[in-house]
Amino acid sequence: MAGQETQGKLLIIGGAEDKEGDCKILREFLRCAGGTKAHIVVMTAATSLPGEVGDNYIRVFERLGAEDVRVVDTQTPEDAKNPDYLEAIEQATGIFFTGGDQARIISCLKDTKLDAAMHKRYSEGIIIGGTSAGAAMMPDMMIIEGDSETNPRVDVVAMGPGMGFLPNVVIDQHFAQRGRLGRLVTALLLQPAVLGFGIDENTAILVSGDELEVIGENAVTVIDESEKLHDNIDGRLKDEGLAICGAKLHILPHGYRFNLKTRQPVYDSAATTADRQRQLA
C-alpha cells in the first residue's frame, strides 16, 4: 500500500466521542490544529440538525481554548460555492466533520469548489477530523449503509464514492458497539482495498504519513486481507454467506500504532512504555 503523499493529519473517530469530560480525542484534534491559536471549521453537511450540532462543537472547542470556531453548513451543492465558506476553509488550521448521514456529505460536497479547497489545505498540512459519518467518508470508497450484527453477505452493505482523504482502505464506525464485523469484511471483499479499520465509539485513529496511532477508550479492529488464502465472492448470490480464509486480524487499543505501508502493527517496548507514561501523567 502506498504511503500518504500529503503533509496533513487525519483524526478519524468511531463516533460518540466524549464532549463533556476530559475530551481526550477532541483535545488531540485541537492540539494538532494549533491549540489556543487554532481556527476550526465545523462541517455540518452530514446532520439534519446543523444548528444544534454545530453549536455543540463550537461550545466544546471554545471551552478547550480554540481561538476561532465557525460552522460551515452545506445543505446543497450550491452552498459549497459560498465565498464566505471558501474563505473560512482557506483560513482554517483544522476542519472537523460531524456525524449524521455520510451520503449527505457526498451529495453536498463531492467534486465542488469546497471539496477542492479542503484537499488543498490538507496537502498544505492542516488536520482534518471526522466522527461517525465524518469518519465513514474518509476513504475513496466508503460504506454508505449496511446491516449490523450479521455474517458477511453481499447484501449487507452498500458502497459508494467517499471524499478520498485516506484512499485504499475501508472504514467502519461504532464498530464493536453495533457488531459490524460482518459488514466490514463484506466491504473489503467488494472493494480493491486490502485494509479495513473498524473503529469503536469514543476511539479514534490519528493518521500522520504512513503511520496511525489509536487514541481513546476502546479499540480499533484492523483486517488485512492482502495475503488471504481464499474467498468465495465470485458467483455468490446476494443473500449467500461469504467466506474469507487466511486474513490477518489485529486489535489495537489506546497507544498502539499501525504502519499503513508495511501493514504491520507497531508495538515496540519504547512505544508501550511511552503510552504507560501518558496514562499515568
Side-chain angles (χ1 to χ4, degrees):
M1 179 174 176
Q4 298 300 297
E5 297 178 356
T6 50
Q7 297 179 12
K9 295 182 178 182
L10 299 171
L11 188 70
I12 306 174
I13 309 169
E17 73 279 5
D18 173 26
K19 303 181 191 68
E20 304 296 334
D22 186 55
C23 303
K24 180 181 293 184
I25 294 171
L26 295 179
R27 188 181 297 272
E28 186 65 25
F29 175 81
L30 186 61
R31 184 177 291 110
C32 292
T36 57
K37 296 181 180 179
H39 288 236
I40 305 299
V41 169
V42 178
M43 305 293 297
T44 56
T47 179
S48 59
L49 299 170
E52 178 181 335
V53 172
D55 286 347
N56 195 22
Y57 279 103
I58 288 174
R59 176 182 60 81
V60 174
F61 286 128
E62 286 184 344
R63 176 170 66 84
L64 293 176
E67 182 174 301
D68 181 69
V69 188
R70 63 182 70 181
V71 170
V72 166
D73 180 36
T74 50
Q75 296 298 306
T76 70
E78 285 298 310
D79 294 333
K81 301 176 183 178
N82 186 320
D84 291 337
Y85 290 171
L86 292 168
E87 182 183 4
I89 296 299
E90 187 60 35
Q91 295 175 353
T93 60
I95 300 169
F96 188 87
F97 284 82
T98 73
D101 179 354
Q102 52 265 40
R104 290 170 60 97
I105 298 175
I106 302 304
S107 65
C108 294
L109 290 173
K110 183 73 173 176
D111 298 325
T112 65
K113 289 184 177 180
L114 207 56
D115 181 11
M118 287 188 289
H119 277 84
K120 173 178 175 289
R121 295 294 291 124
Y122 178 49
S123 71
E124 291 170 350
I126 74 166
I127 185 170
I128 295 181
T131 184
S132 192
M137 62 88 193
M138 290 285 184
D140 46 354
M141 290 297 293
M142 72 175 188
I143 296 174
I144 298 174
E145 61 183 1
D147 295 341
S148 299
E149 299 180 346
T150 184
N151 64 300
R153 303 189 316 274
V154 173
D155 64 355
V156 305
V157 68
M159 305 293 295
M163 293 294 285
F165 292 110
L166 186 64
N168 304 317
V169 305
V170 177
I171 291 173
D172 209 348
Q173 69 282 7
H174 304 283
F175 192 69
Q177 289 74 21
R178 300 187 186 178
R180 288 180 166 176
L181 179 62
R183 80 175 199 171
L184 181 59
V185 170
T186 301
L188 269 178
L189 291 176
L190 291 174
Q191 296 304 315
V194 296
L195 283 176
F197 295 95
I199 308 175
D200 292 351
E201 292 179 356
N202 197 26
T203 308
I205 55 174
L206 177 63
V207 184
S208 181
D210 288 327
E211 198 164 87
L212 63 84
E213 181 177 2
V214 178
I215 301 170
E217 180 182 23
N218 295 301
V220 172
T221 300
V222 184
I223 302 174
D224 176 4
E225 65 146 6
S226 61
E227 299 177 10
K228 72 176 184 288
L229 303 175
H230 167 78
D231 72 60
N232 68 341
I233 193 165
D234 290 340
R236 291 292 93 183
L237 300 181
K238 281 188 174 183
D239 61 350
E240 294 176 342
L242 295 174
I244 183 170
C245 303
K248 294 180 181 178
L249 177 71
H250 308 287
I251 308 294
L252 305 178
H254 174 81
Y256 276 74
R257 292 175 287 141
F258 187 87
N259 189 291
L260 294 166
K261 189 173 183 179
T262 64
R263 298 190 299 274
Q264 294 295 324
V266 180
Y267 46 85
D268 56 90
S269 58
T272 54
T273 298
D275 178 59
R276 285 196 296 269
Q277 290 172 344
R278 283 199 299 271
Q279 291 177 333
L280 292 171

